[in-house]
Amino acid sequence: EPEVTQTPSHQVTQMGQEVILRCVPISNHLYFYWYRQILGQKVEFLVSFYNNEISEKSEIFDDQFSVERPDGSNFTLKIRSTKLEDSAMYFCASSVASGSFIDTQYFGPGTRLTVL
Amino acid sequence: SQQGEEDPQALSIQEGENATMNCSYKTSINNLQWYRQNSGRGLVHLILIRSNEREKHSGRLRVTLDTSKKSSSLLITASRAADTASYFCATALMNRDDKIIFGKGTRLHILP
């Protein structure tokens, strides 16, 4: 069964450093998402991406964050200058459809980001 | 209540018993999804129920949706040790694209 994959599984970085989290969505999916979950808290929406552009973003997704689909398979989340409070599990998700036909979002296993 | 709020926060039952978790929400939805998360791991999609559906089944899972009460329930029958996990409901809002909003989850513990 196709699944969303994410790399790395765990990333440790120093505060102020840039990190890139990578995701390979399910191949026939058109909508891509990033969510994060701070330890012990609920999963929060960051951004959605369709047709090579951001379709929606939350207030968490500030100028320090960016997303990119550099080729036909990868979907990346970049944090330009990490802060301690960016430490969280980051989940990538993808779905076939969205909007009025919003469909199941399939999640990857997550990347645990630890900012020291 | 918040959009997508599960009840109870934690539940412990004996193996073999049924587990029922509830989710309430505030704003009209397009659909509601249930996910499972084992400790520190990824989110596994369980069931999606659309706003025009009242009940769905998948194996030992049964989900109901009552849009008049803005609530949903997830029933796991004949629970097993492997069902120990956190369970989240996530709502897709009516007329809003893209994002789904998660609740805080119910931590389910199956006792041997």
Side-chain angles (χ1 to χ4, degrees):
Chain A
E1 186 175 328
E3 54 186 24
V4 177
T5 59
Q6 290 184 243
T7 54
S9 57
H10 192 187
Q11 174 90 47
V12 181
T13 189
Q14 294 289 327
M15 190 170 59
Q17 295 296 305
E18 174 184 285
V19 294
I20 297 176
L21 310 182
R22 291 182 166 79
C23 168
V24 179
I26 295 173
S27 62
N28 65 333
H29 286 188
L30 301 176
Y31 293 82
F32 315 115
Y33 314 85
W34 284 101
Y35 292 79
R36 78 170 186 193
Q37 185 182 33
I38 295 171
L39 187 65
Q41 298 187 26
K42 60 174 152 180
V43 177
E44 300 172 292
F45 171 79
L46 292 178
V47 66
S48 58
F49 191 87
Y50 168 70
N51 201 24
N52 283 320
E53 60 183 26
I54 291 173
S55 51
E56 187 176 356
K57 61 182 180 179
S58 72
E59 61 274 9
I60 302 169
F61 193 89
D62 61 22
D63 291 344
Q64 292 300 312
F65 291 88
S66 62
V67 290
E68 195 178 30
R69 188 156 163 81
D71 52 46
S73 60
N74 290 285
F75 179 50
T76 62
L77 174 69
K78 181 192 290 186
I79 309 174
R80 266 180 263 285
S81 177
T82 50
K83 308 183 192 91
L84 294 176
E85 53 266 36
D86 293 327
S87 293
M89 183 77 95
Y90 287 80
F91 294 105
C92 173
S94 68
S95 66
V96 173
S98 186
S100 57
F101 302 100
I102 193 163
D103 209 336
T104 300
Q105 294 188 14
Y106 293 91
F107 283 74
T111 292
R112 181 170 298 285
L113 176 65
T114 302
V115 182
L116 302 175
Chain B
S1 65
Q2 299 180 34
Q3 183 73 5
E5 187 172 295
E6 291 89 344
D7 166 58
Q9 291 187 354
L11 178 63
S12 292
I13 61 171
Q14 293 294 137
E15 191 168 12
E17 292 180 342
N18 296 341
T20 300
M21 290 159 274
N22 303 295
C23 170
S24 59
Y25 57 91
K26 287 195 302 187
T27 310
S28 295
I29 61 170
N30 188 306
N31 67 54
L32 185 147
Q33 305 179 44
W34 283 92
Y35 289 84
R36 184 185 74 228
Q37 184 181 38
N38 291 83
S39 181
R41 308 290 289 275
L43 294 157
V44 175
H45 182 262
L46 298 176
I47 287 186
L48 179 151
I49 186 164
R50 301 195 185 280
S51 58
N52 61 352
E53 297 176 313
R54 292 296 166 256
E55 187 172 312
K56 283 189 86 168
H57 297 254
S58 176
R60 293 183 296 114
L61 307 180
R62 172 176 168 251
V63 167
T64 62
L65 179 64
D66 187 335
T67 52
S68 66
K69 295 181 180 177
K70 291 186 168 59
S71 68
S72 173
S73 68
L74 170 67
L75 169 68
I76 304 174
T77 59
S79 62
R80 304 168 183 167
D83 295 330
T84 294
S86 290
Y87 291 81
F88 297 89
C89 69
T91 52
L93 302 183
M94 189 71 74
N95 299 325
R96 287 291 304 272
D97 288 349
D98 307 343
K99 70 181 178 188
I100 55 177
I101 302 172
F102 283 81
K104 291 184 179 179
T106 293
R107 292 187 309 281
L108 175 65
H109 185 55
I110 308 300
L111 303 167

